[in-house]
Amino acid sequence: MISTELKATIQGAYTRFLEAKSLKPRYGQRLMIAEVAKVLGDIPCDDEGRRAGEPAVVAVEAGTGTGKTVAYSLAAIPAAKAAGKRLVIATATVALQEQIVFKDLPDLMRNSGLNFSFALAKGRGRYLCLSKLDILVQEGHAQTSQAQLLEEEGFRIDVDERSLKLFNSMIEKLAGNRWDGDRDSWPESLEDEDWARLTTDHSQCTGRHCPNFQQCVFYKAREGMGKVDVIVTNHDMVLADLALGGGAVLPAPRDTMYVFDEGHHLPDKAIGHFAHYSRLRSTADWLEQTAKNLTKLLAQHPLPGDLGKLIEQVPELAREIRTQQQFMFTLCEQVADFRPGEDNEGRERPRYRFPGGVVPDEIREVGVELKKGFARLNDVFTRLTDLLKEGMGGEVSIGIASHQAEEWYPLFGSLQTRAQGNWELWTAFTAEDPEDSPPMARWLTLAESGALFDIEVNASPILAAEMLRRSLWNVAHGALVTSATLTALGKFDRFRMRSGLPRDAVSCVVPSPFVHGDAGLLRVPDLKADPRDAAGHTAAIIRELPGIVEDARGALVLFSSRKQMQDVFDGLDRDWRKLVLIQGNLSKQETLNKHKARVDDGQHSVLFGLASFAEGVDLPGAYCEHVVIAKIPFAVPDDPVEAALAEWIEARGGNPFMEIAVPDASLRLIQACGRLLRTEQDRGVITLLDRRLVTQRYGKAILNALPPFRREIS
């Protein structure tokens, strides 16, 4: 039972917030506050303040307009403080992360009476490395002679005048306290290529041995994080921390309450974190280059002791593995047709998936040899980096000066990371899958490698459920997952299967304040064309579309395939095409800005978009008065992870179409329909150009799961 004191704190904060902003309470928001408080505010603990009972997890689907951030913050911040825990709020997108840090939480502090501190946590890659900037500016050529020996690893960087000007400007702004070293606060947009020269990762960072450690912007940001009540970050950073055992970058899971906003992305993000890949030809080239560079290094610098002995092992070992790598390339080439280009029907021929995740014995045997080889290489590089770390301190003599150990450490750290990545790939690729668990998806993909083609080897889990259960739900003090789309076909079954939510997790749907029946009309016209007949369906859209959206100032037309989007655009009358902004010609943000500018000028504007325009696009009022959806958004059937999941479900006697394809399509369709009403004042029409919604049994289930708009079905 939630304590009277905590209940009074939460209720008082909500009342003050509403009064300060002259707002009326929203039913859905109140319901969400109550559900979150009930679960996170009443967690049984032992004498040391650790959770003593079952996992405390709540999943809340809250429709657009509910005010989710305010609801979960008002409940979770006091609950975390009362339990002596830290609150970590994680989002899937940078846009929401920044909105929470710069708008929502400051607003809550000003108006609710709650007293809390908060900070934004980003990965090391968002921050400048001062040592790298120093080297780039001082030397102009970017590196010392030792680093040039390993130029293939990306350490040799010829600095052109444009770059030098940028780097000098950064130094000036840092010196004048006009920049904090955070990529996101640099006034102009930075090219990825430029930024990659200026940042580092954990394998290259010398930490306290770095001459710039006291001024390091990343460590300063992390230090600030250690003192705050609320940390705002992204799903990727939480998952990366959990993959390291938890507590490496963020607070330890047992001392943390988590909020996962945009939580429907969490299972896919988790799969991505445990997926592995490696390119055969480019890795073979890297091994050859490493062998050459280290042979050259030993010739120029005879090294005494363990350091020399370890480095001496690498060239021979690298060439041994390279031979196996080339043999694997030949075997994979024989599995499928990997010549670049297209087949007779115009399809790309880039992929071959191993059915059931079962790799042929011959390939598996070579994979096991590669796993052993990279394990040995990883071990040598790990011992080398440990030795260099000792040498950096200057207390232990390793045969080179401490400043030289500092120069070499990032280079060998980078080599170790790549060796470890390959070892992880071959471990996952050759592992025997447990009988009762979902298998790994394993596949080969055609990849470009300069003038030659390369083969990429992939291994990925098909469900993140077990990993999330083990690393997150079972160890966290408490957790909330929320999104406008957690259910599919009105149930949480899909999300539970993919995310591994504990059996006792509380789940609920809180209503949106929108009155869908008054605000929106859902039309399903009869185009006299079956969406499965691509040419006929496209011709019908070309014929009918101008009439469908003629009354809307701003319209959004969503397609499931780029080909159909382009074909419809090409088939429209030339004058009508002038109204259309098609995704891909400009950046997403530029496209949206141009669309808004046209509508603001009183012109008609029509956006053509794919899946990324069906979610997270905010076009209130006149910017989007009509959403047209070309087809039920079924997933592309050739995604290897989804195909492997379908195969596994079928092997267990299930129906993958009804268990995966239909719920997934339902979820995507709800997200697409969510583009219409963004505020309580919005009004508009949704037109679905797919008769399967009313002719197929599964279509009716999808239709009935949509928000309760008025319907007009031909």
Side-chain angles (χ1 to χ4, degrees), residues 160-191:
D160 55 39
E161 281 184 35
R162 180 194 62 81
S163 300
L164 208 50
K165 192 176 170 188
L166 170 69
F167 301 151
N168 280 318
S169 164
M170 286 178 166
I171 283 181
E172 283 168 26
K173 283 191 163 60
L174 285 163
N177 285 325
R178 287 174 291 133
W179 184 45
D180 57 3
D182 180 339
R183 178 177 182 172
D184 299 313
S185 60
W186 183 253
E188 296 105 36
S189 77
L190 290 164
E191 294 294 326

Side-chain angles (χ1 to χ4, degrees), residues 531 537 560 629-635 661-662 665-666 668-669 688-694 696 698-700 702:
H537 188 244
S560 296
I629 301 163
K631 284 182 183 178
I632 298 173
F634 287 114
V662 171
S666 170
R668 289 192 195 94
L669 200 52
L688 283 162
L689 303 177
D690 192 333
R691 292 291 291 175
R692 289 176 294 179
L693 277 166
V694 289
Q696 303 294 319
Y698 68 78
K700 289 172 187 173
I702 292 173

Side-chain angles (χ1 to χ4, degrees), residues 236-343:
D236 286 316
M237 193 157 172
V238 173
L239 291 163
D241 188 61
L242 294 174
L244 293 169
V249 181
L250 298 168
R254 65 171 180 267
D255 299 322
T256 306
M257 281 189 193
Y258 295 94
V259 171
F260 293 98
D261 205 336
E262 303 176 306
H264 61 283
H265 286 292
L266 186 63
D268 286 340
K269 292 265 186 189
I271 284 175
H273 266 267
F274 293 94
H276 306 283
Y277 69 91
S278 178
R279 292 186 176 183
L280 295 175
R281 197 191 291 275
S282 66
T283 302
D285 291 347
W286 168 73
L287 288 163
E288 178 61 26
Q289 194 64 43
T290 301
K292 274 185 192 168
N293 288 336
L294 292 183
T295 302
K296 195 171 162 188
L297 176 69
L298 289 165
Q300 290 182 6
H301 298 268
L303 295 166
D306 289 346
L307 189 66
K309 284 178 192 163
L310 285 168
I311 294 175
E312 278 168 18
Q313 291 178 41
V314 176
E316 190 182 339
L317 184 53
R319 290 193 172 106
E320 232 177 84
I321 302 169
R322 182 175 180 265
T323 304
Q324 296 284 2
Q325 195 87 6
Q326 289 169 318
F327 188 32
M328 178 62 89
F329 190 96
T330 307
L331 290 175
C332 290
E333 228 179 344
Q334 292 164 6
V335 167
D337 183 357
F338 280 110
R339 285 168 303 169
E342 298 179 342
D343 64 16

Side-chain angles (χ1 to χ4, degrees), residues 249-525:
V249 181
L250 298 168
R254 65 171 180 267
D255 299 322
T256 306
M257 281 189 193
Y258 295 94
V259 171
F260 293 98
D261 205 336
E262 303 176 306
H264 61 283
H265 286 292
L266 186 63
D268 286 340
K269 292 265 186 189
I271 284 175
H273 266 267
F274 293 94
H276 306 283
Y277 69 91
S278 178
R279 292 186 176 183
L280 295 175
R281 197 191 291 275
S282 66
T283 302
D285 291 347
W286 168 73
L287 288 163
E288 178 61 26
Q289 194 64 43
T290 301
K292 274 185 192 168
N293 288 336
L294 292 183
T295 302
K296 195 171 162 188
L297 176 69
L298 289 165
Q300 290 182 6
H301 298 268
L303 295 166
D306 289 346
L307 189 66
K309 284 178 192 163
L310 285 168
I311 294 175
E312 278 168 18
Q313 291 178 41
V314 176
E316 190 182 339
L317 184 53
R319 290 193 172 106
E320 232 177 84
I321 302 169
R322 182 175 180 265
T323 304
Q324 296 284 2
Q325 195 87 6
Q326 289 169 318
F327 188 32
M328 178 62 89
F329 190 96
T330 307
L331 290 175
C332 290
E333 228 179 344
Q334 292 164 6
V335 167
D337 183 357
F338 280 110
R339 285 168 303 169
E342 298 179 342
D343 64 16
N344 295 333
E345 282 147 36
R347 290 181 305 227
E348 289 285 329
R349 57 154 101 70
R351 195 179 279 148
Y352 176 81
R353 184 177 65 81
F354 296 100
V358 179
V359 177
D361 287 345
E362 198 178 6
I363 290 180
R364 192 174 172 278
E365 282 163 19
V366 179
V368 169
E369 291 307 309
L370 283 165
K371 175 182 132 180
K372 289 177 189 169
F374 279 112
R376 285 161 61 208
L377 192 62
N378 182 43
D379 179 56
V380 171
F381 284 139
T382 302
R383 283 154 65 198
L384 271 167
T385 51
D386 288 346
L387 203 57
L388 290 166
K389 205 179 272 183
E390 285 178 29
M392 283 192 285
E395 291 147 30
V396 178
S397 173
I398 62 166
I400 57 171
S402 59
H403 71 86
Q404 200 159 40
E406 272 174 40
E407 283 177 3
W408 287 13
Y409 180 82
L411 312 177
F412 283 100
S414 176
L415 293 169
Q416 187 267 324
T417 299
R418 188 154 181 182
Q420 184 180 344
N422 276 279
W423 171 75
E424 287 170 353
L425 175 272
W426 294 114
T427 301
F429 194 74
T430 58
E432 284 195 28
D433 297 314
E435 258 181 56
D436 300 332
S437 302
M440 294 285 275
R442 297 179 175 92
W443 71 97
L444 308 173
T445 305
L446 177 76
E448 296 302 321
S449 180
L452 302 164
F453 78 94
D454 206 341
I455 295 173
E456 188 175 275
V457 182
N458 296 264
S460 169
I462 58 175
L463 285 175
E466 188 50 45
M467 290 170 291
L468 288 172
R469 249 196 302 273
R470 192 175 57 243
S471 306
L472 177 60
W473 313 127
N474 290 350
V475 289
H477 187 75
L480 159 71
V481 185
T482 186
S483 162
T485 46
L486 283 183
T487 62
L489 301 175
K491 298 175 184 172
F492 280 90
D493 296 0
R494 175 192 181 277
F495 188 73
R496 281 181 179 275
M497 176 185 80
R498 289 179 181 264
S499 68
L501 279 185
R503 196 179 293 109
D504 298 333
V506 174
S507 58
C508 69
V509 177
V510 303
S512 161
F514 299 160
V515 184
H516 290 86
D518 293 344
L521 172 66
L522 175 67
R523 283 185 184 147
V524 186

Side-chain angles (χ1 to χ4, degrees), residues 76-87 114-117 229-230 257:
I77 292 171
K81 288 190 82 172
K85 306 299 175 192
R86 313 273 292 287
L87 182 68
L114 291 177
N115 182 25
F116 61 94
S117 56
D229 303 310
V230 181
M257 281 189 193

